[in-house]
Amino acid sequence: MGGQAIDGRPEWGRWPRVDGTPRRELRSLLAGGYTGFSSATEPRRLRLVATASVPLVVKIRDSAWRPPGFVHGVHGSYSVVDGDCAPEYLEVRLAPLGAYVLLGRPMDELSGQFVDLTELFGPSGRRLGERVRAESTWRRRFDIMDEFLLRRLDTGPRPTPEMVWAWRRLVGSGGTVAIRQLAAEVGWSHKHLITKFKREIGLAPKTAARLVRFQQALGRLDQQPSPRWEQVAADGGYADQAHLVRDFREFTGSTPAALWDTTRAGKPASAPHLTR
């Protein structure tokens, strides 16, 4: 869930995990591959980092917190949730426009919410969870997720071409392109661009741009043994270090330095990766 326990134990990347590669037809719709997590402990209070992607989670071993399978709609600020997290689960992160296709809902209807897979998909959502939990290997669980998402791909809506172009332009600029310029480039009014972003991404374009910029800055930290924060801010298109700190506080609930220290403390050995 891209989260961190806040009872003093770092959780980013800490749990044993197995990674799997989705089918080729799905990869452009996902923000990465499949991941199976397992742990002997269950954090009771979890901080979830803001993200433009949408996690789809199926619990292998259940917990009292949330349904046995759910999606977490895109959220533009960090949030804190109480209650035990499942000690074993499968997670796939849907890319912003990929979520619109695969979930088949206007994304602003799901923003910030935890939605039961059965509520979202009907009986097929319940069967997905049952089939995943019935398997004993991660490879077979990932195969079942492939089958489910490929069926959704065949029936889901398609984003408008202008939104596909606008999202790629936003990501390509590192979140720095002006929103009014973006609207002009696709031939929409500023108001219409906002409406379409909320429907197909789940966020207003300005928030989406800030998240793109933040996530790219976050990604660069993995490549730096000792970050120079003023340089990270400049490379990420921030006006100054204060703006970098503001975004990190809003999107993670932490300062860049504190987050980097916590993440490095919990960095695991390379995860096993299943390929086809």
Side-chain angles (χ1 to χ4, degrees):
M1 287 288 294
Q4 177 190 23
I6 52 179
D7 56 2
R9 295 173 296 139
E11 292 293 335
W12 266 304
R14 182 169 179 260
W15 291 5
R17 56 186 281 177
V18 175
D19 293 332
T21 304
R23 287 275 293 274
R24 186 179 305 276
E25 302 95 311
L26 293 168
R27 293 175 197 170
S28 65
L29 303 176
L30 306 182
Y34 301 142
T35 306
F37 291 99
S38 61
S39 174
T41 61
E42 302 177 15
R44 297 187 59 84
R45 200 163 186 237
L46 201 67
R47 180 189 295 141
L48 301 179
V49 178
T51 176
S53 61
V54 176
L56 187 160
V57 173
V58 176
K59 299 177 185 177
I60 310 302
R61 286 186 284 157
D62 207 352
S63 67
W65 181 73
R66 302 300 170 192
F70 60 87
V71 298
H72 185 194
V74 62
H75 45 296
S77 62
Y78 86 93
S79 58
V80 174
V81 293
D82 292 304
D84 291 343
C85 184
E88 189 174 22
Y89 62 94
L90 186 160
E91 178 178 282
V92 53
R93 287 187 168 269
L94 312 179
L97 290 174
Y100 178 67
V101 173
L102 296 170
L103 302 183
R105 296 279 189 92
M107 298 311 297
D108 52 352
E109 293 182 2
L110 307 178
S111 295
Q113 300 182 56
F114 292 90
V115 184
D116 191 317
L117 295 185
T118 302
E119 178 183 340
L120 189 60
F121 300 125
S124 65
R126 174 180 50 78
R127 286 193 297 271
L128 170 65
E130 291 172 347
R131 292 185 65 202
V132 168
R133 283 186 287 276
E135 296 293 339
S136 59
T137 68
W138 285 111
R139 183 181 295 277
R140 182 57 189 146
R141 291 165 182 164
F142 297 153
D143 285 343
I144 291 169
M145 184 61 72
D146 264 344
E147 295 168 12
F148 178 81
L149 294 180
L150 285 169
R151 287 195 298 272
R152 297 295 307 174
L153 175 60
D154 289 339
T155 60
R158 293 298 183 267
T160 55
E162 293 90 345
M163 271 302 305
V164 173
W165 190 92
W167 179 251
R168 289 175 179 169
R169 174 80 167 92
L170 191 65
V171 172
S173 76
T176 61
V177 62
I179 302 307
R180 290 194 179 276
Q181 178 183 339
L182 190 62
E185 289 177 358
V186 297
W188 286 345
S189 69
H190 188 212
K191 182 178 180 180
H192 188 62
L193 183 74
I194 292 173
T195 298
K196 296 297 287 184
F197 256 80
K198 288 182 176 179
R199 178 178 177 82
E200 298 187 21
I201 300 289
L203 297 167
K206 184 176 180 179
T207 303
R210 290 178 59 209
L211 267 176
V212 166
R213 183 175 61 179
F214 157 73
Q215 289 176 335
Q216 291 192 2
L218 194 62
R220 281 191 287 271
L221 297 187
D222 284 340
Q223 314 303 319
Q224 302 188 35
S226 182
R228 295 174 54 241
W229 297 111
E230 67 279 6
Q231 190 62 51
V232 172
D235 290 346
Y238 288 91
D240 52 38
Q241 189 173 337
H243 283 79
L244 175 76
V245 172
R246 178 204 64 185
D247 275 7
F248 267 72
R249 286 191 181 278
E250 181 173 344
F251 295 145
T252 74
S254 181
T255 64
L259 178 65
W260 186 83
D261 288 343
T262 300
T263 304
R264 301 299 289 187
K267 200 154 186 79
S270 298
H273 194 100
L274 302 181
T275 57
R276 291 178 173 79

